[in-house]
Amino acid sequence: MEAIILQILNGLDKGSAYALIALGLTLIFGTLGVVNFAHGALFMIGAFVAVTLNRIFNLSFTVIDETRTDFLGNPMQVEVPYVEQWFGAETGAAIIDWSVPLAIIVAIPIMALIGIAMERGLIKYFYKRPHADQILVTFGLAIVLQEIVKAFYGANPIPTPAPDAFRGSFDVGQLIGFEPFAIVYPYWRLVYFAFAAIVIGAVFAFLQFTTFGMVVRAGMADRETVGILGIDIDKRFTTMFAIAAIVAGLAGVMYTPILSPNYHMGMDFLVLSFVVVVVGGMGSLGGAVAAGFLLGVLQSFASMSQVIDLIPGINQVIIYLVAIIVLLTRPRGLMGRKGVMEE
Amino acid sequence: MLGLNKADLRLYVIVLGLLIFAPFIMNPFPEGSGLAQFNGGYPDLLQKLVIFGIFAVGFNILFGLTGYLSFGHAAFLGVGSYAGVWMMKLLTMNVIPALIVSVLVAGLLSVVIGYVSLRRSGIYFSILTLAFAQMCYSLAYSVLTPITGGETGLTLSLNDPRVLGASQTAEGNIPAPHFFGLEMSSSATWELGAWSFTFNIGYYFCAIVMAVAFYLAIRLFRSPFGLMLRAVKSNNSRMTYTGLNPRPYALAAFVISGMYAGLAGGLMVAMDPLAGAERMIWTASGEVVLMAILGGVGTLIGPILGAGVIKYLESIISTINSTILHQWFAFLPDGLENFVVAVIYPFVGKGWHLTLGIVFMLVVIFLPGGIVEGGKRIANLFRRKRADDSAQGSASAAPKPGE
């Protein structure tokens, strides 16, 4: 039982990342009708915003500390980060420590700008062209973005820690009436799950309860009619693209403590997120989120040693197997609507 | 001749000429000169050009004719490679059985994948092939390690139980792949003044295979079957209404292109007998898509050009490092030299993928027909100019009455 709950927790976590990326992909599918292979790159950029901020906070200068001496008796040289100089030692250390959550604040405008630039500068010209062209051009863009990041940050993963307060583990089991230490789970992963839930909730609320969201949903259903009603749907769709970029970027920011960012993390997650979108049903936001969590949980169950002993290698292929089975039995995906992406 | 019409025959002869004289064409600069950097006439690269050319021609049969964009074609290449190495381990170092088995195994796999994937079209098809290929990659990397060698890859070893032929040579080495005694790695060098041209058995073997494969592709493009595939591309549902089931045709195209990929994989191990899972990762499938697009999808020669350009640039650009750049721009004043090098450096050497990505985006955006369309546009430009000139000439020489 404990093992099962642990696996569900594990799965929810991975599922959160899948769901967030897939949510953005589906938003772009549904609103703009564009297959965005560069969406994984947006996730990666988000992660590297966190890395960059961490580096900026750690920028330091050398001072000679007269009070301490090294073993030769000379005064010691100490590195003092600028933030500690400006904000005082204690606040400065806290700022450095909280670099990942603080990166959210920076990432939102950056991702929005990148999203708008992408949509206005490139994607706009591909609405009328076949899906194959959209896949190809965004695939090219993904390569370019990933290579730029590689040129600046190198090819090695860059560990970026979570704040001290969230380091270590939390005894989830005791909270729900198990023996102490039966189910212990890292704090940050719980934070990630909560964060994903909040972001997903916010996106849904935005689409459901605001006039803007209503118009966008109408535009998803019938773009031309909304245009005829005199609404500038293009501008709203650009905003939707920016929102999708922000969602992907935030997923990346918060994922950095779990997986040290490297330049190809976007491509790694992209394939899985596409599979998630297809399983969930193209154009269905609920489907993307549900399928993200479902596949995440399935994947973590499949990587239990008991299951691997039974069917070797199942952890590697479970997602693809599920995708293939779903597509063959329910061609529209679990919650797909009729007529979306069916030529 | 050969059942080809005039234009196709001309194209075929051009390709044959390119294949035969490639060691000369790719080696235009004398040895030791500053431009020798750009020589691509060494066997390794020539073989690669031809092998990826075959891969791209095969991919084009599917994507160019039917419009089904497969993002999983590297799986067939990888499977072909594994099959080829196993054939060499178990049966003989002769490359012919290895190639045959590579093609057959890749064909079998493509029947399975194609049968399932072709139930869906458009973006779903792309994702399905992508999923299948990633599945093959993961399996080759993990569970199938006894067959595929997992992370280290599959290589020949000194104690392979080779049925025909020895498992090691008299000197105690692993025997080299050969074609009835002609070793793939042997080559002859022809020194001609400052130039040196290398003629490699392996390259010419690949070139002959390519010539045959390209001939088959031309015949297929011009056959009624090829016409059927074009019909699938232009309007699938209309084809269904006329009472034809398009799926068997699409499946046949899928399997044929899978077999081409398997052939390319088999040739790869015939040149260098090792196979690894990284050949099957999905970005490798993306690469062949890039080749076809860059050259010109749906044209006969396009994919070969695309494969050639990408593989050539990959080998040449990725070897340019900052020292070489500094040599090139040494004539500039110091500050300017450093600036120019700093600007160019991210795009060469390790950054070559950045160049590739940018070029590819530009091609998709501005030149959807690829290099072939670019060539046509340039040719048209000149033709129109000449036509204008002659029109003007005749007009001035003899103005027609009544105008």
Side-chain angles (χ1 to χ4, degrees):
Chain A
M1 189 62 200
E2 287 85 355
I4 290 175
I5 291 181
L6 200 63
Q7 291 310 324
I8 290 177
L9 282 174
N10 267 331
L12 288 180
D13 225 49
K14 217 170 217 164
S16 306
Y18 295 160
L20 283 176
I21 306 177
L23 182 67
L25 274 174
T26 306
L27 273 179
I28 298 176
F29 272 136
T31 50
L32 311 167
V34 170
V35 186
N36 183 18
F37 260 52
H39 206 70
L42 294 172
F43 174 71
M44 175 205 60
I45 290 175
F48 275 91
V49 167
V51 169
T52 314
L53 201 70
N54 188 34
R55 285 205 176 163
I56 292 175
F57 285 164
N58 275 309
L59 279 182
S60 52
F61 60 96
T62 319
V63 289
I64 294 169
D65 190 349
E66 299 282 356
T67 55
R68 287 151 69 189
T69 50
D70 58 13
F71 63 97
L72 289 175
N74 299 322
M76 227 153 84
Q77 298 195 331
V78 191
E79 296 280 321
V80 180
Y82 284 101
V83 279
E84 285 193 11
Q85 175 75 13
W86 295 335
F87 296 100
E90 216 158 289
T91 328
I95 290 178
I96 294 173
D97 186 34
W98 283 78
S99 70
V100 171
L102 284 175
I104 294 177
I105 302 166
V106 190
I108 290 175
I110 291 181
M111 296 313 297
L113 278 180
I114 292 177
I116 291 170
M118 244 171 94
E119 203 272 342
R120 287 287 96 185
L122 183 72
I123 310 279
K124 185 173 85 173
Y125 304 100
F126 279 80
Y127 291 150
K128 293 267 153 60
R129 289 179 53 177
H131 291 314
D133 279 9
Q134 298 169 353
I135 294 179
L136 295 169
V137 80
T138 47
F139 181 56
L141 181 65
I143 294 177
V144 170
L145 290 176
Q146 134 175 351
E147 288 302 314
I148 291 175
V149 166
K150 187 180 163 194
F152 278 103
Y153 294 91
N156 295 325
I158 303 163
T160 312
D164 277 332
F166 295 113
R167 238 167 269 173
S169 306
F170 174 67
D171 197 343
V172 185
Q174 222 173 355
L175 204 70
I176 46 177
F178 281 99
E179 297 286 301
F181 305 113
I183 306 167
V184 180
Y185 204 68
Y187 269 117
W188 186 259
R189 288 173 170 256
L190 294 171
V191 170
Y192 191 76
F193 175 61
F195 173 78
I198 291 170
V199 171
I200 291 168
V203 171
F204 273 90
F206 177 71
L207 284 176
Q208 208 65 41
F209 302 125
T210 60
T211 327
F212 186 97
M214 192 182 73
V215 172
V216 167
R217 276 186 295 134
M220 278 165 95
D222 190 342
R223 181 178 184 150
E224 272 183 15
T225 311
V226 176
I228 290 168
L229 288 174
I231 293 165
D232 186 358
I233 195 76
D234 284 353
K235 203 179 261 172
R236 287 164 201 254
F237 279 1
T238 309
T239 316
M240 284 322 289
F241 198 97
I243 290 174
I246 291 172
V247 169
L250 292 186
V253 168
M254 294 294 277
Y255 209 69
T256 43
I258 300 176
L259 172 93
S260 300
N262 54 12
Y263 72 102
H264 53 77
M265 66 191 281
M267 289 284 193
D268 297 346
F269 271 80
L270 179 73
V271 178
L272 289 171
S273 325
F274 261 107
V275 171
V276 167
V277 170
V278 168
V279 168
M282 229 162 253
S284 156
L285 297 175
V289 172
F293 286 114
L294 177 74
L295 289 180
V297 171
L298 274 179
Q299 198 180 26
S300 68
F301 270 113
S303 47
M304 283 167 81
S305 58
Q306 294 94 324
V307 180
I308 293 181
D309 287 344
L310 209 65
I311 318 167
I314 186 74
N315 57 330
Q316 304 279 341
V317 297
I318 178 84
I319 286 198
Y320 306 113
L321 274 183
V322 171
I324 289 158
I325 293 166
V326 167
L327 272 190
L328 293 180
T329 51
R330 287 184 64 95
R332 275 182 201 125
L334 293 177
M335 300 185 184
R337 285 178 297 137
K338 194 179 174 187
V340 177
M341 294 279 156
E342 293 182 345
E343 289 166 305
Chain B
M1 214 172 88
L2 291 169
L4 302 175
N5 66 25
K6 223 172 189 176
D8 287 342
L9 189 65
R10 204 177 59 196
L11 183 69
Y12 192 57
V13 170
I14 291 174
V15 170
L16 278 187
L18 284 178
L19 284 174
I20 293 170
F21 296 109
F24 297 103
I25 300 167
M26 299 293 288
N27 239 7
F29 306 112
E31 211 57 35
S33 74
L35 291 170
Q37 174 83 34
F38 293 105
N39 276 346
Y42 49 95
D44 248 17
L45 177 57
L46 289 178
Q47 290 166 3
K48 222 193 264 175
L49 294 182
V50 173
I51 291 170
F52 277 93
I54 294 174
F55 189 21
V57 166
F59 176 78
N60 190 37
I61 290 176
L62 180 70
F63 183 44
L65 285 180
T66 65
Y68 279 96
L69 173 58
S70 158
F71 248 86
H73 251 56
F76 307 127
L77 184 94
V79 165
S81 296
Y82 284 127
V85 176
W86 270 111
M87 213 55 198
M88 288 184 179
K89 276 170 107 71
L90 297 178
L91 188 67
T92 163
M93 288 307 288
N94 195 330
V95 296
I96 295 297
L99 286 185
I100 293 172
V101 170
S102 297
V103 172
L104 289 181
V105 171
L108 277 179
L109 182 70
S110 58
V111 169
V112 176
I113 295 184
Y115 181 78
V116 178
S117 307
L118 283 165
R119 292 169 164 265
R120 316 286 293 126
S121 60
I123 170 78
Y124 285 97
F125 173 80
S126 300
I127 307 277
L128 265 178
T129 48
L130 188 60
F132 268 115
Q134 278 299 90
M135 200 158 92
C136 293
Y137 165 74
S138 311
L139 286 177
Y141 209 78
S142 60
V143 198
L144 297 179
T145 303
I147 306 175
T148 59
E151 280 177 55
T152 45
L154 188 64
T155 47
L156 300 179
S157 72
L158 281 171
N159 39 21
D160 287 329
R162 206 160 287 119
V163 178
L164 305 171
S167 32
Q168 32 182 298
T169 57
E171 294 89 50
N173 296 323
I174 297 172
H178 62 86
F179 173 68
F180 299 110
L182 288 171
E183 278 191 15
M184 288 296 143
S185 49
S186 61
S187 40
T189 314
W190 184 27
E191 302 285 346
L192 187 75
W195 282 267
S196 78
F197 302 106
T198 314
F199 304 96
N200 173 258
I201 301 263
Y203 165 69
Y204 278 103
F205 180 77
C206 289
I208 292 167
V209 175
M210 162 71 124
V212 175
F214 188 56
Y215 175 72
L216 290 177
I218 299 183
R219 291 302 298 261
L220 197 139
F221 264 64
R222 301 292 178 238
S223 66
F225 173 71
L227 204 63
M228 229 38 163
L229 297 182
R230 278 174 225 259
V232 171
K233 183 181 189 174
S234 64
N235 199 328
N236 215 337
S237 35
R238 194 178 292 168
M239 199 171 155
T240 321
Y241 296 148
T242 53
L244 280 159
N245 184 3
R247 205 181 286 158
Y249 291 99
L251 182 61
F254 192 87
V255 173
I256 291 171
S257 81
M259 287 164 98
Y260 268 78
L263 178 66
L267 276 176
M268 258 179 208
V269 295
M271 299 303 119
D272 185 13
L274 60 96
E278 71 285 343
R279 245 171 230 180
M280 308 166 82
I281 202 163
W282 78 274
T283 41
S285 306
E287 200 182 10
V288 72
V289 181
L290 304 192
M291 289 172 182
I293 299 282
L294 183 67
V297 163
T299 60
L300 281 165
I301 186 104
I304 301 178
L305 291 180
V309 168
I310 287 185
K311 282 293 153 189
Y312 173 78
L313 290 182
E314 180 188 78
S315 307
I316 302 301
I317 294 188
S318 59
T319 57
I320 300 174
N321 53 29
S322 62
T323 327
I324 297 177
L325 279 181
H326 275 289
Q327 275 169 20
W328 284 357
F329 296 103
F331 63 91
L332 294 172
D334 257 0
L336 194 59
E337 178 190 327
N338 287 338
F339 175 73
V340 170
V341 171
V343 168
I344 299 179
Y345 188 60
F347 296 93
V348 298
K350 283 181 199 152
W352 122 262
H353 273 108
L354 182 59
T355 317
L356 178 68
I358 292 172
V359 168
F360 178 68
M361 277 177 72
L362 293 178
V363 167
V364 177
I365 296 169
F366 297 110
L367 204 66
I371 296 176
V372 170
E373 196 189 316
K376 265 187 202 149
R377 281 191 195 175
I378 293 170
N380 276 344
L381 218 62
F382 278 104
R383 207 167 294 152
R384 201 176 305 148
K385 217 175 187 181
R386 212 183 304 153
D388 285 353
D389 287 351
S390 61
Q392 271 175 3
S394 61
S396 59
K400 282 182 192 134
E403 269 188 12

